[in-house]
Short mmCIF file of all heavy atoms in Angstrom, two decimals:
data_model
loop_
_atom_site.label_atom_id
_atom_site.label_comp_id
_atom_site.label_asym_id
_atom_site.label_seq_id
_atom_site.Cartn_x
_atom_site.Cartn_y
_atom_site.Cartn_z
N ASN A 434 -6.76 15.75 -11.85
CA ASN A 434 -5.99 14.60 -12.33
C ASN A 434 -6.90 13.66 -13.11
O ASN A 434 -8.13 13.78 -13.10
CB ASN A 434 -5.31 13.87 -11.16
CG ASN A 434 -6.30 13.23 -10.20
OD1 ASN A 434 -7.47 13.60 -10.15
ND2 ASN A 434 -5.83 12.28 -9.42
N ARG A 435 -6.28 12.71 -13.82
CA ARG A 435 -7.03 11.82 -14.68
C ARG A 435 -8.02 10.97 -13.89
O ARG A 435 -9.12 10.66 -14.39
CB ARG A 435 -6.06 10.90 -15.43
CG ARG A 435 -6.71 9.92 -16.36
CD ARG A 435 -7.40 10.61 -17.52
NE ARG A 435 -6.45 11.24 -18.41
CZ ARG A 435 -6.79 12.01 -19.43
NH1 ARG A 435 -8.09 12.28 -19.65
NH2 ARG A 435 -5.87 12.56 -20.21
N ALA A 436 -7.66 10.60 -12.66
CA ALA A 436 -8.57 9.79 -11.85
C ALA A 436 -9.88 10.52 -11.60
O ALA A 436 -10.97 9.92 -11.67
CB ALA A 436 -7.89 9.43 -10.52
N LEU A 437 -9.82 11.81 -11.30
CA LEU A 437 -11.04 12.59 -11.08
C LEU A 437 -11.81 12.77 -12.38
O LEU A 437 -13.05 12.69 -12.39
CB LEU A 437 -10.68 13.95 -10.47
CG LEU A 437 -11.86 14.90 -10.21
CD1 LEU A 437 -12.91 14.24 -9.33
CD2 LEU A 437 -11.37 16.20 -9.58
N ALA A 438 -11.10 13.02 -13.48
CA ALA A 438 -11.78 13.20 -14.77
C ALA A 438 -12.56 11.95 -15.16
O ALA A 438 -13.71 12.03 -15.61
CB ALA A 438 -10.75 13.54 -15.85
N ASP A 439 -11.96 10.77 -14.97
CA ASP A 439 -12.63 9.52 -15.35
C ASP A 439 -13.83 9.23 -14.46
O ASP A 439 -14.87 8.74 -14.94
CB ASP A 439 -11.64 8.36 -15.31
CG ASP A 439 -10.59 8.44 -16.41
OD1 ASP A 439 -10.80 9.21 -17.36
OD2 ASP A 439 -9.55 7.76 -16.30
N ARG A 440 -13.71 9.52 -13.18
CA ARG A 440 -14.80 9.19 -12.26
C ARG A 440 -15.94 10.21 -12.33
O ARG A 440 -17.10 9.85 -12.14
CB ARG A 440 -14.27 9.10 -10.83
CG ARG A 440 -13.27 7.98 -10.62
CD ARG A 440 -12.90 7.84 -9.17
NE ARG A 440 -11.74 6.96 -8.99
CZ ARG A 440 -11.21 6.66 -7.83
NH1 ARG A 440 -11.73 7.15 -6.71
NH2 ARG A 440 -10.15 5.86 -7.76
N TYR A 441 -15.61 11.46 -12.59
CA TYR A 441 -16.66 12.50 -12.59
C TYR A 441 -17.34 12.59 -13.96
O TYR A 441 -18.56 12.60 -14.05
CB TYR A 441 -16.05 13.84 -12.21
CG TYR A 441 -17.08 14.92 -11.94
CD1 TYR A 441 -17.54 15.16 -10.65
CD2 TYR A 441 -17.59 15.69 -12.97
CE1 TYR A 441 -18.48 16.14 -10.40
CE2 TYR A 441 -18.54 16.68 -12.74
CZ TYR A 441 -18.99 16.89 -11.46
OH TYR A 441 -19.93 17.86 -11.22
N PHE A 442 -16.54 12.66 -15.03
CA PHE A 442 -17.10 12.85 -16.36
C PHE A 442 -17.26 11.55 -17.14
O PHE A 442 -18.01 11.49 -18.10
CB PHE A 442 -16.21 13.81 -17.17
CG PHE A 442 -16.09 15.18 -16.55
CD1 PHE A 442 -14.93 15.55 -15.89
CD2 PHE A 442 -17.13 16.09 -16.62
CE1 PHE A 442 -14.81 16.81 -15.32
CE2 PHE A 442 -17.02 17.35 -16.05
CZ PHE A 442 -15.85 17.71 -15.40
N GLY A 443 -16.54 10.52 -16.75
CA GLY A 443 -16.56 9.27 -17.49
C GLY A 443 -15.30 9.13 -18.34
O GLY A 443 -14.78 10.11 -18.86
N ARG A 444 -14.83 7.90 -18.47
CA ARG A 444 -13.61 7.65 -19.23
C ARG A 444 -13.80 8.05 -20.69
O ARG A 444 -14.73 7.61 -21.36
CB ARG A 444 -13.24 6.17 -19.13
CG ARG A 444 -11.87 5.84 -19.72
CD ARG A 444 -11.57 4.36 -19.55
NE ARG A 444 -11.51 4.00 -18.14
CZ ARG A 444 -10.43 4.10 -17.38
NH1 ARG A 444 -9.30 4.56 -17.91
NH2 ARG A 444 -10.46 3.73 -16.11
N GLY A 445 -12.87 8.87 -21.19
CA GLY A 445 -12.90 9.29 -22.59
C GLY A 445 -13.80 10.47 -22.88
O GLY A 445 -13.82 10.95 -24.02
N ALA A 446 -14.56 10.97 -21.90
CA ALA A 446 -15.46 12.09 -22.12
C ALA A 446 -14.68 13.40 -22.18
O ALA A 446 -13.60 13.52 -21.60
CB ALA A 446 -16.50 12.16 -21.00
N PRO A 447 -15.18 14.40 -22.90
CA PRO A 447 -14.50 15.71 -22.93
C PRO A 447 -14.46 16.34 -21.54
O PRO A 447 -15.42 16.25 -20.78
CB PRO A 447 -15.35 16.53 -23.90
CG PRO A 447 -16.69 15.84 -23.93
CD PRO A 447 -16.40 14.40 -23.72
#
Side-chain angles (χ1 to χ4, degrees):
N434 66 340
R435 180 66 68 186
L437 178 56
D439 291 344
R440 296 186 192 181
Y441 190 94
F442 299 105
R444 188 179 298 274

